Every structure is written in C-alpha cells, then in structure tokens.
Amino acid sequence: MLGLMQEWPLLCHKILDHAGIQHPHREIVSRSVEGPIVRTTYAELRGRALKVAQRLEKEGYKRGDRIATLAWNTARHIEAWYGIMGIGAVYHTLNPRLFPEQIVWIMNNAEDKALFVDLTFLPLVEKIAALVPTLRQVIVMTDAAHMPQTSLRNAVPYEEWLAEADGDFRWKALDESEAAGMCYTSGTTGEPKGVVYSHRSNVLHAMMACMPDAMGISSRDVILPVVPMFHANAWGIAQSAPMIGAKLVMPGGRMDGASIYELLDTEKVSFTAAVPTVWLMLLQHLEETGKKLPYLKKVVIGGSACPRMMAKKFQDNYDVEVVHAWGMTEMSPLGSLCTMKPDYAGLEGEARLDIEEKQGHAPFGVEMIVTDDHNRPQPWDGKTFGRLKVRGPAVARAYYGGAGKEQFDEEGWFDTGDVAHIDPNGYMQITDRAKDVIKSGGEWISTIELENLAVSHPDVAEAAVIGVRHSKWDERPLLVVVRKPGREPGKADILGFMKDKVAKWWLPDDVAFVDEIPHTATGKIQKTTLRKQFSDYRLPTDETERLPDRETL
Ligand code: AMP
C-alpha cells in the first residue's frame, strides 16, 4: 500500500521560491568585489536567479551541463548557483586557492562548459582558459563599467549579459535525484575527486543543518558565512539561510580580522561559521583593539579541530557560544555538531570545554560507526579509536567517474579516512587522519590532540605533529612549532607545559621551530609536505645507528 501524500520533489529552486514568498524583504548584504557594500533581498535575488536561468537556456546550456564558478561569497554567486540549478545544469565550485594546474585538471575532468568568475580571478582564467577545450563562455561577475580589457574572446560582463533577460521564466521540472552541484576534494593525496550533489541531497542537508541541535538557525538570525561557497558549499548556508529566511551577510574576498569584525558589527551578525584560521585572525584583531562582539551569539568552527583556547576565549571573553563541527565535502558537508545533549547541558567551565573539544554528535540523516582494520565496529566508550565510517542521504555514494571505489562498501558505508572514537552519549572525537596517525610500538598516537595541546601554550602561534622514523618504536612524534612574534619559547618550555596533560609515551620526542607551516588550499596543515621536509630528521631519542632507507640502497 502506498501513502496518499503529494509528490513534491525536493528541488533546490523551491528553497529560493520559499524565501522569495515568505521572506521577500529579508536582506542579503555583500561586500562586493568592486569594493562597496551592496544590498539586495530574497525577492530580488530570486528574480535575478530566474534571469540567470533564462539567459543560460538562451545560450543553449542544458540539463546536466557543468557550469563552473570561481568566486567569493557574494549575492551574485548565490543567484548564479540557483540560476544554474534552475535549468537542471550543475554548479561546479572551483577553489581559487588550488594551483592553476589543479584547477585545469578539475575543469577538464568535469568538462565545464561555462564559467562565472569574479574580477579577482580573471587574470588566472586568462592563463588557463585555453587549456580547457570544453569551455565556451566566461561570464565576468561585474558590470561594463568595471569590466577590464581581457584577452579572452568569449568573456562578457555579467550585468549586461543578465540585462538581456526579462526574468519571465519557469524553473525546469526536474527529478529530485538529478545532479545539482559539484565540488572536488582538495586532493592533498592523489588527484582531486569529484563529489556530485543532487537536488534531494542538498535540500535534505539544508533541513538537517537548520535543526536546533545542528546549527540551530532561524529567520531572526543574521548569518555571516565566512566559509567560502567553494569550500564544501559554505557548509550548506547558501541553501539553509534562504530556507529559513535568515538575513545573509556575504564577506566577498576580505577575510582578515578587521574586515570580518566590521561586518559582524555593522550588520549585527548573530551567527557565523568558518575554519579556525579565520577565528585566530579575528580574535587577534579583538585583542589588539579591545573591541567586543555585542551582537554575535553563536560561532560554528570546523574544517579542522577547534583548539580549546579558541572555544574558551569566545565563551569567556566575548560571551559567544561555540559549536564545534566536523564534516567533509563528501558529506555536503555536515557530519556532526557539538551541541549539548541533556547529559552535558549543565556542564560549565573546563568540564564543558572537555566536551567542546569533541566534534559532536550526528544530526538526523547521518549514521556513523568506528571500525578496526578488520571492519569490526568498535565500542562507543570514548577511548577506542578506529576508522570513522558514515552513511546518509547527503553522503556521497560514489565519486564522479568512479574514482576512489575502495572508500565505499556494500553496506553503504563511506570510509572518511578519519580516525575517531565515540563516547557513550554519541559524541565523536576525531583523533587523526588515517594517514597522519602515529603508530608507535604498535599503539596509535593522536596528532590532533598533541597539536591542540601545543597551541594552548601562550607563546605558540601554530603547531603540527608528524611521525618521524624511529629505529625502536617505528615512529615517534615530532612537534613542529611556529612561535608567536616576539616570543622565544624553547623545547623544554613547551614539552614541560605539555608533560602532565598527556600520557607519558605520547609526549613528542623533539620540537622543531619553523617560520611557517605549509597549508592546503582549504587551510589545513599540509602534513605530506611537512613529512617530506623532515624525512631525514633524526630524533634525539633514536640512538640506534640507522640503516639506510630501502630507496637509497
Ligand atoms: P574537506 O572536505 O576539505 O572539508 O575536508 C574534510 C576533512 O577535514 C575531514 O575528513 C577531517 O579530516 C577534517 N576536518 C573537518 N572538520 C574537522 C574538525 N572539526 N576537526 C578535525 N578535523 C576536521
């Protein structure tokens, strides 16, 4: 027997229709790439997205065509996304922080037919466009007055291109399982892999994201997604904010502490989200200027582990609630959020920070398990770590073109490549990437835990831990540290600070001081490069004469 309820396919443009009808005057404020702050509303944005769709159709783009964007977070970027999806084409966000060769590789893999680009990245596109034979058109997101001279033959200014449409257009009737968007993993190991979101997965993910124990956002919020749309869909905010009619504040290309502070303050932002690096810059700005955050209520921190001192500062010094979150491009991206279940709700001070160091619990729509190397599920005891696997309606079931098959199993579990444990209340804590975990004498050491501890030292700006070859223990931890400007902590200071806070055998065997730690295009520590940099490093604890590497024999 079938249910007798209406078929109402979960299509992304329905989100924008809802925002346009229910919240027509709610604002979207953008720091434009040209400079000034620009204001629009959901009703206007919907009208312009319809024009984008109409215009794309007139150019001959069809369902399933991949249309790339290389752009900052602005209202124009959002309307381009919805316009692309509205004809059944597929938005493909490109991360401008990747090397140009990687961008070319990704565009060719996706066979992008058109590209919406911000002025900032036009010089880059001029260099690479000829290397992408499928690319027919470049739409530069500006108006004729700001359009620079360009060597690209097929480039048009967005505003004039859009002005040729009257907006009298109906969204295409699509199946909810059709592709809506595409984003490639950052490919720190091997080639990037394409993740293809469907309309259904995007809509379900946006609903999950809004729930009180997830991001917990409403129409009364003013949301500043600092996390870029090109990094895992701005954590879904370009869909969840219009779904609930929240005011959006889009930061454009300026993410330094002063610029973000200015928007938080002038637009009275109540909710924001970004990776820890952004918050380090903001906190530094606040400390230097003595400014406060009177309007901000909640900050979501994820993408890499939120250091304990960061959560403490936001909460103690600025009265802002911190929600630590974990996710992946492959999960649309939200996987877990550290909001407080009743068992933890009453905790305060250090006890609360102990919980907030965890990446949190899965919302409805995400199932997770931790397994050992033989695929046996591990107990939820908050200690036993293993490979973290997930499944759900907004989790990838394959990569584009069939890459990375080994990460998916027959039961639908996706192996995240992260190592984690889960506590009896369902709170998951990432201890490492599977490739980074240190195997010392057969036991595992979490590099993330050591890094978090090291950065809580007052003189440490940034820290990374890598495994270095050791003749007795196979691998031992080396702590790599960037000192704060003007501070000179030594090895003994730092290890002394860490000594009583971790198991004795976890303590790094040595500390190396560097000026800079390498980062990936999404702001994570690039451990592969660090490991190469320290491949010949001899730990002071390694007293055995070392045999030459197999490769050098
Ligand atoms: P991406 O797809 O670029 O967002 O990268 C996803 C990966 O980032 C995850 O598999 C984790 O390794 C890492 N990650 C994301 N959030 C966190 C977090 N809160 N703590 C630790 N690692 C994280």
Side-chain angles (χ1 to χ4, degrees):
M1 181 173 166
L2 291 176
L4 292 175
M5 307 311 280
Q6 297 185 3
E7 290 295 327
W8 196 86
L10 303 177
L11 297 172
C12 292
H13 53 247
K14 292 195 171 171
I15 298 176
L16 199 54
D17 286 347
H18 174 78
I21 294 164
Q22 286 292 333
H23 309 278
H25 309 303
R26 203 67 171 129
E27 274 186 321
I28 299 109
V29 181
S30 309
R31 190 190 291 286
S32 67
V33 175
E34 293 89 347
I37 298 287
V38 177
R39 289 170 191 278
T40 182
T41 62
Y42 280 122
E44 283 167 11
L45 191 137
R46 177 175 176 271
R48 284 167 60 90
L50 280 163
K51 286 187 181 180
V52 173
Q54 186 181 21
R55 205 57 196 80
L56 284 171
E57 192 176 61
K58 197 164 154 220
E59 302 277 6
Y61 298 106
K62 302 218 157 45
R63 270 157 102 148
D65 282 348
R66 271 78 67 199
I67 299 188
T69 64
L70 192 56
W72 301 113
N73 286 6
T74 62
R76 279 184 180 140
H77 197 174
I78 300 186
E79 67 205 23
W81 264 23
Y82 281 94
I84 294 166
M85 291 189 285
I87 61 159
V90 182
Y91 69 79
H92 172 201
T93 43
L94 295 166
N95 184 342
R97 296 183 185 131
L98 292 170
F99 292 118
E101 308 80 67
Q102 283 175 308
I103 297 179
V104 169
W105 189 93
I106 288 173
M107 292 184 80
N108 281 323
N109 192 254
E111 298 175 283
D112 293 328
K113 290 209 171 143
L115 170 65
F116 287 87
V117 62
D118 267 340
L119 281 171
T120 327
F121 310 118
L122 192 57
L124 168 67
V125 176
E126 285 170 344
K127 287 203 196 96
I128 64 173
L131 304 172
V132 184
T134 51
L135 190 63
R136 301 210 305 243
Q137 194 174 27
V138 176
I139 302 145
V140 186
M141 296 219 271
T142 192
D143 53 20
H146 292 90
M147 181 79 178
Q149 284 287 343
T150 170
S151 57
L152 292 168
R153 271 182 301 109
N154 51 2
V156 286
Y158 178 73
E159 292 298 337
E160 280 61 26
W161 177 80
L162 206 59
E164 288 174 30
D166 60 11
D168 182 12
F169 186 79
R170 272 172 174 269
W171 305 119
K172 283 278 160 294
L174 307 169
D175 187 297
E176 63 177 20
S177 57
E178 283 182 56
M182 225 178 158
C183 184
Y184 279 67
T185 61
S186 39
T188 39
T189 50
E191 301 291 9
K193 288 175 279 206
V195 179
V196 185
Y197 310 106
S198 65
H199 281 262
R200 173 186 158 83
S201 70
N202 272 352
V203 172
L204 287 174
H205 179 268
M207 291 170 92
M208 276 158 53
C210 298
M211 289 194 292
D213 265 323
M215 293 217 205
I217 43 177
S218 79
S219 59
R220 294 166 298 286
D221 274 305
V222 180
I223 300 183
L224 170 64
V226 187
V227 55
M229 291 164 74
F230 58 74
H231 181 202
N233 296 311
W235 301 349
I237 292 174
Q239 280 133 3
S240 43
M243 181 175 271
I244 47 156
K247 171 173 162 180
L248 264 176
V249 182
M250 305 296 275
R254 282 169 50 190
M255 286 169 228
D256 58 285
S259 304
I260 293 300
Y261 176 79
E262 189 191 338
L263 290 178
L264 291 173
D265 193 55
T266 53
E267 299 302 324
K268 300 189 169 53
V269 170
S270 62
F271 176 100
T272 181
V275 295
T277 328
V278 167
W279 302 129
L280 274 180
M281 293 191 289
L282 177 74
L283 288 170
Q284 203 174 334
H285 175 76
L286 293 173
E287 278 160 22
E288 281 163 13
T289 56
K291 288 177 173 151
K292 293 285 174 204
L293 297 170
Y295 310 109
L296 191 62
K297 293 199 184 86
K298 199 188 282 183
V299 53
V300 179
I301 306 181
S304 47
C306 167
R308 189 181 180 98
M309 70 75 190
M310 184 172 282
K312 189 171 162 59
K313 278 190 187 165
F314 268 117
Q315 281 161 180
D316 292 358
N317 303 358
Y318 303 101
D319 199 20
V320 173
E321 180 189 345
V322 167
V323 177
H324 189 185
W326 164 84
M328 304 180 78
T329 304
E330 290 88 333
M331 301 183 73
S332 302
L334 294 180
S336 68
L337 295 108
C338 195
T339 51
M340 297 298 154
K341 292 189 189 178
D343 282 327
Y344 293 149
L347 295 177
E348 283 176 21
E350 297 301 315
R352 190 180 172 93
L353 289 170
D354 286 346
I355 303 303
E356 283 171 344
E357 265 184 325
K358 298 174 189 271
Q359 277 72 9
H361 54 99
F364 174 77
V366 176
E367 292 173 14
M368 51 174 64
I369 49 168
V370 164
T371 69
D372 66 8
D373 282 343
H374 306 290
N375 208 19
R376 286 180 301 229
Q378 297 299 292
W380 286 23
D381 59 6
K383 315 195 274 278
T384 313
F385 41 105
R387 304 186 77 97
L388 177 63
K389 298 181 182 170
V390 292
R391 59 186 184 192
V395 177
R397 65 179 154 86
Y399 288 112
Y400 183 62
K405 281 200 177 75
E406 64 289 350
Q407 282 176 262
F408 304 89
D409 73 17
E410 314 78 60
E411 289 168 29
W413 292 109
F414 166 68
D415 187 337
T416 62
D418 284 329
V419 174
H421 51 67
I422 304 179
D423 81 6
N425 284 318
Y427 282 63
M428 182 274 290
Q429 183 157 11
I430 301 276
T431 55
D432 245 312
R433 288 294 292 167
K435 295 187 182 76
D436 297 337
V437 70
I438 297 173
K439 294 192 174 150
S440 172
E443 297 289 340
W444 289 11
I445 297 178
S446 154
T447 62
I448 293 188
E449 217 166 291
L450 292 174
E451 285 158 8
N452 281 347
L453 185 55
V455 292
S456 59
H457 187 289
D459 298 337
V460 171
E462 199 177 10
V465 174
I466 50 168
V468 171
R469 218 155 56 89
H470 192 285
S471 43
K472 181 168 175 201
W473 301 109
D474 293 338
E475 270 186 334
R476 289 293 302 156
L478 167 71
L479 173 63
V480 183
V481 163
V482 180
R483 295 179 174 111
K484 279 198 181 152
R487 307 285 176 84
E488 287 293 325
K491 170 178 163 179
D493 295 320
I494 295 176
L495 293 184
F497 170 83
M498 295 172 73
K499 202 166 105 224
D500 302 326
K501 302 180 182 90
V502 281
K504 198 159 159 248
W505 62 277
W506 277 38
L507 203 64
D509 283 22
D510 204 4
V511 183
F513 294 96
V514 294
D515 294 333
E516 211 182 326
I517 286 177
H519 288 98
T520 67
T522 47
K524 296 179 214 275
I525 295 173
Q526 199 155 35
K527 298 246 172 125
T528 41
T529 312
L530 260 190
R531 277 195 288 265
K532 256 187 229 146
Q533 202 175 320
F534 287 94
S535 59
D536 293 330
Y537 200 81
R538 181 71 186 253
L539 289 166
T541 50
D542 190 357
E543 278 154 11
T544 324
E545 198 176 324
R546 193 184 279 181
L547 291 170
D549 274 332
R550 215 176 299 158
E551 294 91 82
T552 55
L553 280 174

